[in-house]
Amino acid sequence: MKQTTKVTLFSLLIFPGVGHLLLKKYAIALGFIASFAYLLLGFVKDILTKSQQVIDSIMRGEVSLEISAIQQALMDQGVIDNPQLATTGYLMLLIWGLAAFDAYRIAKKNNPLVPPNISGTNM
């Protein structure tokens, strides 16, 4: 497998910045990993906190066990249709895409294609 493909797939399928680790670009890798992990942890924490409030309401009997009631409670808490969470999600996707593209770019720059022998003779 070509290095450009390998580092791009690692960045896309495993975690943003992992492709840079394979390229030994540790500072860039740390930047992508730290920024994505920070956003991801905040995203998950926010969703879990708001969802836990809905679960507590269900346990107290304030919200019935009907799908529409639970969905409405999640909307009221801001778990569903939350512009802040949507923005964070789009920012995470942007970082993920940039990490994969940058890993591909660096790998391609480090391994340029060897130009073909135009004269047709072996040197």
Side-chain angles (χ1 to χ4, degrees), residues 18-38:
V18 173
H20 291 86
L21 290 176
L22 293 175
L23 294 169
K24 296 183 169 80
K25 301 291 183 183
Y26 301 116
I28 298 171
L30 179 64
F32 280 120
I33 291 170
S35 62
F36 187 82
Y38 178 78

Side-chain angles (χ1 to χ4, degrees), residues 28-48:
I28 298 171
L30 179 64
F32 280 120
I33 291 170
S35 62
F36 187 82
Y38 178 78
L39 289 172
L40 181 63
L41 290 174
F43 187 80
V44 170
K45 180 185 173 207
D46 196 27
I47 289 176
L48 287 177

Side-chain angles (χ1 to χ4, degrees), residues 3 6-7 20 32 34 48 57 59 75 87 101 111 118:
Q3 187 178 25
K6 186 177 180 180
V7 298
H20 291 86
F32 280 120
L48 287 177
S57 296
M59 298 298 284
M75 286 175 128
T87 302
F101 175 75
N111 293 325
I118 298 175

